[in-house]
Amino acid sequence: MKKNPSNEDNISSKIVDCVAKREQTDPLKLPPLYDSVDPDALDDIFASEFQTGTDRSGRVEFQYNGYTVVVEFGNDPELTVKEQSELVE
């Protein structure tokens, strides 16, 4: 069974950190993530897999601070943050 990730390891924190890094700013200077998505619900999707040991897969995509955020999860969550100009359709 997988262990429960710490607060610093939750996916919502990783998203904010990743966008802050791209913006070269402090994460606290970004708008709240909850303006784009429910961070608690997003974290719960991943936490429940760790708590129950149940394998899940899926994809969540949303806009945050001018970026498209894509979280795909299977064995491990994969986070992608891209500006609109970087998206190829």
Side-chain angles (χ1 to χ4, degrees), residues 26-43:
D26 186 303
L28 297 175
K29 292 186 178 181
L30 293 175
L33 185 60
Y34 63 76
D35 287 347
S36 298
V37 68
D38 182 340
D40 292 333
L42 193 59
D43 291 338

Side-chain angles (χ1 to χ4, degrees), residues 46-80:
F46 295 99
S48 60
E49 178 181 342
F50 287 103
Q51 291 168 355
T52 66
T54 304
D55 289 333
R56 295 179 179 198
S57 64
R59 175 184 169 106
V60 177
E61 183 173 330
F62 59 92
Q63 300 295 312
Y64 173 60
N65 198 51
Y67 293 89
T68 298
V69 177
V70 179
V71 183
E72 296 180 272
F73 53 102
N75 292 337
D76 292 310
E78 182 178 320
L79 173 62
T80 306

Side-chain angles (χ1 to χ4, degrees), residues 9-39:
D9 289 337
N10 65 31
I11 197 70
S12 61
S13 294
K14 287 181 181 183
I15 291 166
V16 174
D17 289 344
C18 186
V19 171
K21 200 176 278 189
R22 291 201 60 165
E23 290 287 310
Q24 299 178 355
T25 191
D26 186 303
L28 297 175
K29 292 186 178 181
L30 293 175
L33 185 60
Y34 63 76
D35 287 347
S36 298
V37 68
D38 182 340

